[in-house]
Amino acid sequence: MNNISAKDIIERIYEAALFPDRWIAVVEMICRHLGFWGGVITWGKGEEEVLLCTSSFQQVSRELVADGWDYRKDRLAKAAFEGQPPFGRDLDVLNSETWAALPVNRDVLIPRALGYGVATRITPPAHPEITISFERELDAGVIGPETMAILADLRPHIARSLTIAAGLQRQKAEAITLGLNAIGAPAAVLQRSGRIVAANALFRSIGECLSPRSRDRIAITDDRANRLLYKALAGHEVASLPLPEGDDGGCVLHVIPLRNSVSDFPSNGHAIALVAQPTGTIPDATALLKGLYGLTKGEARIALEIIKGLSLPSVARRLSISHETVRSNAKSIYAKTGSTGKTDLMRRLSVLTRYNILEQR
């Protein structure tokens, strides 16, 4: 152990609740303090599963994924999930022979002089379970009771911080849908699997052509449109899908990808689902863009001109601002929307061309 104190670690743990990109630094600090080779946080299941790894673990993680291993299931499932204390060691639930014969140990970790692991499971309310695990090199010896005691003391703080982080991310998703509700736009934030993270009242009221599946996953009553929806979610693509006609006539479901990264921990959504009449009117498109992508009012005005096909100099002339201001704002717009440039931005925001957008001044 080094001169890092438990107090230092706890302070960093609570900072990470507010600044999710700091979680990896927290895991690395715990590794340095307790002599672990590396650590990983995993959350979600199936195609939504994400691994957040220390730098030492990244190459091994890539190899595990490439070779079809499920690290959480194949490696530390028993230690994390079978009623062990706050943190469980693999050798708490496996004898030495079974441990050595475990395929992921035998084929991947032991050849790299790794194999002593410890893990815990945390399940924030209304959020997929999160697993935190650490690996120690074989030469460093088994994970002893002193280390386990320190981990047990840290776990309540980690659990509280992760619960706060999950709640804040959920609030972000709800804020997006509430903002869209205020301008009359039925909307939901979806995960790649179709799970509804948040939905406003207008969206949930469209029961004739949309209905939640089990576990609160979206489904369109028309099978063909439903297949196209899930294809768009899987490919992180913009899509506009006709919905079955109801009392109010035909509607269109727009799927708009959200820009996410592993630092969005826990993730607050993969895409926005926005329902509208094909000839609907948006009274304030700047509010829409602010809700979807966090654009400022000035950035939203410029984005709306860009998606009309105007060049940046033309946008500057139309809005009576300098070309440098437009160029600087365009860079910020591309970054916030995850666009690679003007053409990609027009593709991502093409759904707005289905509406009558009132002039914004």
Side-chain angles (χ1 to χ4, degrees), residues 284 286 290 294-303 329 360-361:
D284 185 2
T286 57
K290 181 178 180 180
L295 301 188
T296 66
K297 184 176 180 179
E299 290 168 348
R301 291 176 63 208
I302 291 171
N329 276 270
Q360 307 294 314
R361 290 296 182 184

Side-chain angles (χ1 to χ4, degrees), residues 157-173:
H157 301 289
I158 294 172
R160 281 193 288 270
S161 182
L162 287 173
T163 299
I164 293 169
L168 290 174
Q169 292 291 355
R170 189 165 54 252
Q171 287 177 18
K172 288 181 182 179

Side-chain angles (χ1 to χ4, degrees), residues 224-253:
R224 181 177 180 278
N226 197 59
R227 288 194 298 271
L228 292 173
L229 165 64
Y230 278 83
K231 180 180 179 182
L233 290 173
H236 205 61
E237 299 172 350
V238 173
S240 296
L241 314 172
L243 297 178
E245 291 196 11
D247 293 340
D248 297 325
C251 294
V252 176
L253 175 69

